[in-house]
Amino acid sequence: MRNLNTLFLKKWNALIGVILTLLGFSTACDDKESPVEYGTPHATFIVNGNVKDEVTNENIKNIRVVLNTDTTYTDETGNYKVSYTDFPADQSFIIEFDDIDGTDNGEYEALDSTVEFNDSEYTGGSGWYSGETEQELNVALKTKE
């Protein structure tokens, strides 16, 4: 009787092994896109705008604009665009505006401004990437005295 139980269990184990092997191959050979398993949800926050002289209302070029780790300079028309990737939730960022070219375009005082992304709608995302959202921030700088 004991040999019969052993024989039954060996055959049962072999059958379970074959079934598990087939299930393993069927999931590994799936030609559909595999789901993302690693990462953190993230989105790109974009801030763009224009920098002008507070008194003359003229565009100011070559103003350094810093948003966390992204740095850019205003172009000939005073426009800029910076971005930062972070968790897709309500966010608040400090943007620094500095005149670093000396007297080439006049001398302006530095300005720190805050831009807030609240209840943002994201576009172009998939998977862990929620997409991007954009805000416009126009500033006027004071001349140094």
Side-chain angles (χ1 to χ4, degrees):
M1 183 74 168
R2 184 176 176 141
N3 285 342
L4 187 59
N5 281 340
T6 305
L7 182 63
F8 173 74
L9 290 176
K10 283 184 179 180
K11 295 207 182 258
W12 184 248
N13 284 341
L15 179 64
I16 290 174
V18 168
I19 291 172
L20 290 176
T21 300
L22 291 174
L23 287 174
F25 277 119
S26 69
T27 59
C29 298
D30 188 7
D31 62 350
K32 296 178 184 174
E33 186 177 327
S34 298
V36 177
E37 295 181 19
Y38 313 105
T40 303
H42 60 285
T44 303
F45 297 88
I46 301 170
V47 181
N48 60 35
N50 185 272
V51 179
K52 295 185 181 268
D53 183 296
E54 184 179 62
V55 176
T56 65
N57 208 31
E58 293 180 9
N59 297 324
I60 308 171
K61 64 179 182 176
N62 295 330
I63 298 296
R64 181 176 61 192
V65 182
V66 179
L67 171 65
N68 286 344
T69 58
D70 190 13
T71 302
T72 191
Y73 297 88
T74 56
D75 62 13
E76 295 291 323
T77 59
N79 295 323
Y80 70 91
K81 183 175 185 177
V82 289
S83 63
Y84 186 68
T85 302
D86 205 345
F87 190 79
D90 290 352
Q91 296 281 0
S92 180
F93 299 107
I94 295 175
I95 301 180
E96 303 169 12
F97 298 90
D98 293 313
D99 183 10
I100 61 165
D101 65 1
T103 60
D104 288 350
N105 62 349
E107 291 186 278
Y108 295 92
E109 294 180 8
L111 175 69
D112 291 349
S113 187
T114 303
V115 62
E116 294 184 8
F117 289 87
N118 295 319
D119 299 324
S120 299
E121 291 192 27
Y122 303 97
T123 58
S126 67
W128 285 109
Y129 180 61
S130 295
E132 60 184 41
T133 185
E134 196 166 336
Q135 288 257 354
E136 184 173 327
L137 177 65
N138 299 316
V139 297
L141 298 181
K142 296 178 183 180
T143 56
K144 285 185 180 178
E145 295 180 16

